[in-house]
Amino acid sequence: MKRFLLVPLIADEVSIARYQVQAAHSRPGEEIAVDLRTTHGFGDGLGELVHEFATTAGGNGQSLSVLTTPEGLPDGLIHDSIPRFTGLEECLSSRLGMPDSLPCTVQLTLPTALDDLPPLRKYLASVQAHLVADEDSMPVEMLVDEVCQNAIENSPSNRNHFEVCFMVEETGVRIEVSNISDDSIVPERIMKKRLDSFDDSGTYLGERGRGLFLIARLADDLQIRTDDERITVIVSRRFGSASP
C-alpha cells in the first residue's frame, strides 16, 4: 500500500498548525510533500522550517519532498537532500512510483484545491493503465475527477484537505473519497435528495448535469456513507464495462 500526504504551507500560524495536525495523523512510511508553490513571508526562515519537517519525518520513517514553482527556490535555501518537484503529477510519480502487482492500493491526503485535480487524475489513471491494459482508462480518469471535485466543492472552507483511496484489482477499480462535511448541513439528507433525482431511464431531474449524475452513469456501483462529520463517496467500475 502506498500513502501520500500533500500539505500546503503559508506564512501564518494557522497554516503551520494545520501542518502539525496533519503530520501528527500521518503514518510511518508515508510520503510527505510540503507545497511551497505559494509560500511567501518566510524569508530565510523557510529553509530552517523545512529542515525541521524533514528531521521529524525522518524520525517517523517518512520521506519528505517539496513542491515549488518552476522558478524554484533560492540556492541553498532548501538542502539538496530534499527532493524538489514543480508539479504534483511529477511528485506522485517519483515518490510513489508505479506499482508492479495486483491488487494495488494508493492512499492520498490532498488540499481541497481544484488546480490539483488534473495531475491527480492523470497519475491515478496511469497507475491503472500500467497495471491493467484496459480501454477503461478514460472513464476511470473521469470518475476520479468528478468524485474528487464533489468532495472539494462540498468541503467547508475551514477544513482544507480530503482523502482518496484508489484500489485496482484484476476485475476493476474502486475509488473512495472522503471529506469533512459542513456542520451546517445534514449530509444524509442532501445526498439522498441528490440520488433521488435519478429516474430509471438515467434522466437527471436536478439542476446540474455533472457531479453525482455523471458518476452514477460511469460507475457500476455508487455508495454514499456518513459517519459523524465525515462523508465518503465510493464508486467502482468493472473492467470491460460499457461506457454511456
Side-chain angles (χ1 to χ4, degrees):
M1 181 181 295
K2 303 282 189 177
R3 298 187 180 96
F4 179 87
L5 171 65
L6 176 61
V7 184
L9 189 62
I10 306 172
D12 63 61
E13 294 181 359
V14 173
S15 292
I16 296 299
R18 287 175 178 168
Y19 175 90
Q20 293 172 341
V21 169
Q22 292 186 28
H25 289 87
S26 62
R27 308 171 187 175
E30 195 165 35
E31 296 284 346
I32 300 178
V34 178
D35 191 348
L36 306 181
R37 290 174 293 182
T38 59
T39 300
H40 62 280
F42 279 107
D44 294 338
L46 177 61
E48 181 179 351
L49 184 61
V50 172
H51 285 303
E52 290 179 1
F53 291 163
T55 300
T56 301
N60 294 332
Q62 302 162 333
S63 298
L64 183 79
S65 54
V66 298
L67 261 64
T68 74
T69 61
E71 293 77 17
L73 298 168
D75 292 339
L77 186 61
I78 304 298
H79 195 276
D80 291 338
S81 64
I82 302 176
R84 309 183 193 188
F85 303 96
T86 58
L88 179 58
E89 185 180 3
E90 176 192 15
C91 182
L92 291 171
S93 297
S94 177
R95 304 310 290 177
L96 297 180
M98 286 290 125
D100 55 6
S101 62
L102 292 172
C104 159
T105 300
V106 177
Q107 290 187 340
L108 307 103
T109 301
L110 302 171
T112 51
L114 289 173
D115 290 345
D116 288 331
L117 279 185
L120 170 64
R121 67 173 185 254
K122 288 179 181 178
Y123 170 71
L124 293 179
S126 68
V127 168
Q128 183 232 301
H130 175 76
L131 291 169
V132 181
D134 188 89
E135 61 184 9
D136 281 353
S137 293
M138 182 56 69
V140 168
E141 188 171 336
M142 293 173 66
L143 280 173
V144 170
D145 186 73
E146 291 297 336
V147 178
C148 292
Q149 180 170 302
N150 183 71
I152 291 173
E153 290 180 344
N154 290 284
S155 292
S157 59
N158 63 335
R159 306 294 180 93
N160 68 334
H161 68 277
F162 68 106
E163 298 176 359
V164 181
C165 184
F166 184 78
M167 293 162 279
V168 185
E169 299 180 338
E170 293 183 1
T171 56
V173 173
R174 178 182 172 96
I175 306 161
E176 297 185 8
V177 176
S178 177
N179 66 294
I180 302 296
S181 62
D182 192 325
D183 295 339
S184 65
I185 66 172
V186 180
E188 297 91 337
R189 184 184 307 164
I190 297 298
M191 289 303 180
K192 184 178 186 304
K193 183 177 180 180
R194 291 180 182 176
L195 289 177
D196 287 345
S197 296
F198 306 110
D199 64 19
D200 292 338
S201 66
T203 301
Y204 182 53
L205 306 178
E207 61 183 12
R208 298 180 61 195
R210 290 171 59 84
L212 289 176
F213 168 60
L214 183 55
I215 293 169
R217 295 300 303 272
L218 290 173
D220 291 307
D221 184 63
L222 166 63
Q223 302 176 44
I224 299 173
R225 299 176 182 173
T226 57
D227 179 16
D228 296 327
E229 293 182 326
R230 184 168 295 276
I231 184 166
T232 302
V233 177
I234 305 168
V235 298
S236 60
R237 182 177 173 89
R238 296 186 300 274
F239 293 133
S241 297
S243 299

